[in-house]
Amino acid sequence: MQAPFPDSPPTSAALTRLLRVARPHWLPNLVGLSCLAISTCAELMLPAVSGALLDVYNANANTTLAAAPATIDSELGRIVGLLSAMAIVKHTGEYFLRLAGERAVADVRARLFRCLIASPVTVVDETPSAALVSTLTSDVEAIHHSLTWHMPHLLR
């Protein structure tokens, strides 16, 4: 059953069906979720690292910057390293979640096509071709967007 409005929130039954479709691809999903969890932890560390840089800067406010370059450089290096790690891990996690979503959608399309081929000829004769094409494209496209775009953003 389709939601009455396209932007309405999904029901628990719809989420259960999406998870059932994504279940065979558990390994890329697990890797993607782990990467997003690591990225979130790194994002939570960012204020502490930035605060340490501000503490070093405030402690040396009365002196010239040439007097304490090693400490400031090391703190800036920590921030750059943390931001780089966050970007790499976040994009890796989203890649694996999208990879799992693409694989799940390919499985759904193959299953749907096999069911249409196995159905009696009368079904194809009685059903308008637009309805069949709509089933093969727009309905599967909704699953595709849910698994490859919305689910990674929701989990992040």
Side-chain angles (χ1 to χ4, degrees):
M1 183 172 160
Q2 199 171 18
F5 301 104
D7 293 333
S8 64
T11 63
S12 62
L15 287 175
T16 305
R17 282 184 288 195
L18 274 177
L19 292 176
R20 195 176 322 127
V21 168
R23 184 182 305 148
H25 309 285
W26 64 271
L27 187 59
N29 279 321
L30 181 66
V31 170
L33 287 174
S34 300
C35 287
L36 289 181
I38 291 169
S39 173
T40 301
C41 291
E43 285 180 29
L44 293 174
M45 289 174 49
L46 192 59
V49 174
S50 301
L53 176 66
L54 289 174
D55 290 342
V56 169
Y57 182 74
N58 285 335
N60 296 314
N62 294 334
T63 62
T64 62
L65 288 179
T71 311
I72 291 175
D73 287 344
S74 68
E75 293 299 326
L76 281 173
R78 284 180 59 198
I79 289 177
V80 169
L82 187 61
L83 289 173
S84 300
M86 276 177 18
I88 291 169
V89 172
K90 184 185 292 187
H91 289 295
T92 302
E94 288 181 358
Y95 168 78
F96 277 105
L97 287 174
R98 288 195 177 115
L99 176 71
E102 293 286 346
R103 288 180 180 175
V105 167
D107 291 347
V108 167
R109 283 189 175 135
R111 230 179 315 151
L112 181 61
F113 190 70
R114 278 193 305 268
C115 288
L116 282 174
I117 295 295
S119 64
V121 175
T122 57
V123 171
V124 177
D125 288 339
E126 293 172 358
T127 307
S129 60
L132 293 175
V133 170
S134 173
T135 301
L136 284 172
T137 56
S138 66
D139 293 351
V140 175
E141 194 66 28
I143 295 171
H144 178 261
H145 282 296
S146 296
L147 287 176
T148 59
W149 292 101
H150 299 302
M151 193 67 76
H153 289 293
L154 174 71
L155 294 173
R156 188 179 64 208

